[in-house]
Amino acid sequence: MKTRTKVVVIGGGIAGCSTLYHLTQEGWSDVMLLERDELTSGTTWHSAAQVTNFGMTQTMVGLKSHSIRLYKELAEDPEYPINYHHADGGIRLANTEAQMDGYRHFASMARGMGVDFEVIDAEECARRHPLISTENLIGGLWDPLDGDIDPAQLCQALARRARQAGAEVHRHTPVTALRQLNDDTWEVETPKGTIHADIVVNACGYRVNEVGAMMGVHHPVASMEHQYFLTEEIPAIRDLAHRVPLLRCPISDYYSRQEKNGLLVGFYEQDCKTWGMDGIDPKFVNALCPDDLDRVSDVLEGAFARMPALMEVGIHTVVNGPITYTIDGAPLVGPIPGKRNAYCIIGLRAGLGEGGGHGWLLAQQIVHGEACYDTWVIDPRRFTGHANVELTALKAIEDYQNEFRFHFPHEHRPAGRPMKTTPLTPVLAAEGAEFTVVNGWERVDYIKPTPDFTETLGFRFNEVQAVVAEEVHAVQTGVGLTEVSGFNRFEITGEDAQGFLDRMFCGAVARRAGRVGLGYLLNHQGMLKGEATVAHLPAGATGAARIWYGSAAASEYHDMDWLTAHVRPEEDVEIRSLTNDWTILVLAGPKARAVLAEVARGDWSSEAFPWLSVREAFVGIAPAIVMAVSFSGELAYEIHVPNAQLYAAYRALRQAREAHGLRLFGARAVDAMRLEKGFLHWKTEILTEFDPFETGLDRFVRMEKPEFVGKAALLARQAEGPRKRLVTLVVDCADRWAQPGSSVMLGERVVGTVTSGDWGHRIGRNLAMAFVDPEVAATGRALEIDMLGTKYPAEVIPAGPYDPEFARVRS
């Protein structure tokens, strides 16, 4: 075994084998895989191994499509063919119209990735799967490429190809210690010797945190016991001339696929059970948990009702083994937060079906720094300090219980809440706030008109529409107040802080004390990496002069890793996070200045404190940093307050209620208003798949700057011309909004994908943002958007149709 290599991949299941193979495909042959026992001796060996194209985001569909193409190629390899039942087809059932709406949306979204799903009725479901009953069934979603694969053969085929490309695979080689050296390389200790590696990858399945502990990190991954059984031969299947499709049933929480002439039937019972919470026996290898069919009896009854043939056949084998989950059900594939040259590919609850694609995207990140898709949906940094063991377990249980029930728009399930709160959370709850969740933070979504008000979740406008309209009207005509919890906030100091930021941003950076600027960070491919405000705080009671960097709440770990990685050894730059210590109160509307002047000393006139100014002040008795910035398009102030004084500042502002008609509002209203202004969201419109020119951010780029991260790549991209353009569309539809991922159509051709949609209450129009082909991006161009299976007329309009001159924010 060699002692020096570029990458060590730890773990020999589908995650590790796929990563190793794809690293060689990206041109790196000096790579190794270490497995503590035999390949596939963890979860992989007992996987039900279903391979579907279905995903709830385009990134997930894209990586699954890659898996299917790769597996088909491996199956057809004449030198080493593997067993892959390709394109048996699969059906996801539904018994509510809301579920069917979801399937219609997912079909529209997948079309943009070149994947053709079909929404079918109950009778067609039964025609394609002759064993099912149509009782309590409306229809389903048909995936023509659904299938299953042999897990062990798949991993061996990937390892074989990796070896042929120069990689090494070492079985029975456990990792016993990991040490990071001063140059950020790693020593990987094993019983067979120590390996010096540039990069390490944790692909350890349910043992993920054993290796994580060697790095000094904890990963939010928990294991659940999962049971399925294999039936004896079913005559109806034996006599068919084709294989029966796969079936996934959110009505009764089970799935099935053909296994020889019987069925494999798996269960997601409500009385589910975590596994390995207090440690895992080192001897648990190629092992299973004890059978416990009593636990799935309720689910089994539903399966019997849907597939009566099950009641006439015996059980051949029962399998009960651990599978891994994360807090939101999606895996963790990418850089390990807070570590250099360390990656993970873990929490793959559907590992066999998706693993080919996950390894593909991870290998691209390791070799090139980014993948071909924006990978935030699977990025390990999307969870921050709140992602502890107990929360992960609670969310894993909840996700397991809802395995086939997708999240509706604006749905936030209750397990593990509230996790992150501020002193105002109970106060706002008492005032009727309904909360959304952002990076674990409870944030006001809207204010309920009555205590018993509830929202009907779905893909169409509902009773919340009128509530949001009133909140927007209050902000437009008077003054509104809301809390923005969890906003990412770094304090940057040091002699070289300004020069460092000049290099990080592709445009001009605010330099004068008392001024705020908005800017964009690029990656080394010239694509958009982040968006941030930079505020130069003058010296005052809360500290010396310093720079505040502010960005989206979800970007806390992501941005810290990116910034710290680019501080040069010779630079005097210190970056300190204040994210969990301060909270923002937003005061917005034409009467906002009057309210602020009433509670804070000083001259708040537009002449003394114009738009994009920052000042230290006291709001009542609470110290605060006040910024004249707006995400709503109205005159607005962000009032940043230390959490210890947050309630005092809130009370001072709230006392203006009677005199100025101040009203609380929430994030739902803000999102509707920002679309009217053409303001972008990070990881919605600001994606690593597009550059600033494609995203319409030309005014924030200064190509004449001598240096900024990504400049050379951006110059090269300019010469090639845009692949897409971000546009605003007005949609001729009044009962639904365009969902992220909805396909923009020109006739029968997909020409773009929606990123955001909502009703613009101030202009009375249904709006959407979308990346479209450049030739259809001109203002006035007539297109259509596929919204829940119906194509609605849409027209390209100038971005920011509300107050395009920005007169209101400057008033």
Side-chain angles (χ1 to χ4, degrees), residues 386-499:
H386 65 292
N388 60 36
V389 175
E390 300 302 322
L391 175 65
T392 305
L394 287 173
K395 298 304 287 187
I397 291 168
E398 182 180 62
D399 204 56
Y400 186 96
Q401 293 170 331
N402 291 279
E403 176 68 31
F404 298 130
R405 285 184 280 276
F406 53 80
H407 280 78
F408 286 105
H410 305 299
E411 179 183 9
H412 298 284
R413 292 172 179 166
R417 295 181 62 190
M419 188 62 200
K420 291 183 183 177
T421 61
T422 76
L424 289 187
T425 304
V427 177
L428 294 166
E431 297 227 39
E434 181 70 23
F435 293 93
T436 184
V437 180
V438 182
N439 190 23
W441 290 95
E442 297 290 329
R443 184 178 291 181
V444 179
D445 202 22
Y446 60 89
I447 305 300
K448 296 183 288 187
T450 61
D452 58 351
F453 180 89
T454 57
E455 178 177 9
T456 304
L457 294 172
F459 291 82
R460 302 167 191 255
F461 290 129
N462 58 23
E463 52 277 294
V464 175
Q465 180 82 341
V467 176
V468 173
E470 290 183 11
E471 291 181 8
V472 171
H473 180 73
V475 172
Q476 182 186 19
T477 60
V479 60
L481 178 66
T482 194
E483 178 193 54
V484 180
S485 54
F487 184 77
N488 188 43
R489 182 184 295 96
F490 299 151
E491 184 175 276
I492 303 179
T493 55
E495 292 295 324
D496 299 313
Q498 184 66 49

Side-chain angles (χ1 to χ4, degrees), residues 23 316 395 420 429 717:
L23 283 170
H316 181 274
K395 298 304 287 187
K420 291 183 183 177
R717 291 188 54 77

Side-chain angles (χ1 to χ4, degrees), residues 49-53 64-76 82-90 142-150 243-246:
Q50 299 168 103
V51 183
T52 176
N53 240 339
K64 291 184 178 187
S65 293
H66 174 83
S67 296
I68 290 171
R69 290 191 298 270
L70 172 62
Y71 298 171
K72 190 170 186 293
E73 178 190 335
L74 293 172
E76 295 171 351
I82 64 175
N83 293 323
Y84 176 29
H85 297 119
H86 171 69
D88 287 348
W142 172 259
D143 174 1
L145 297 184
D146 217 338
D148 67 271
I149 197 165
D150 184 295
R243 289 176 61 83
V244 295
L246 287 81

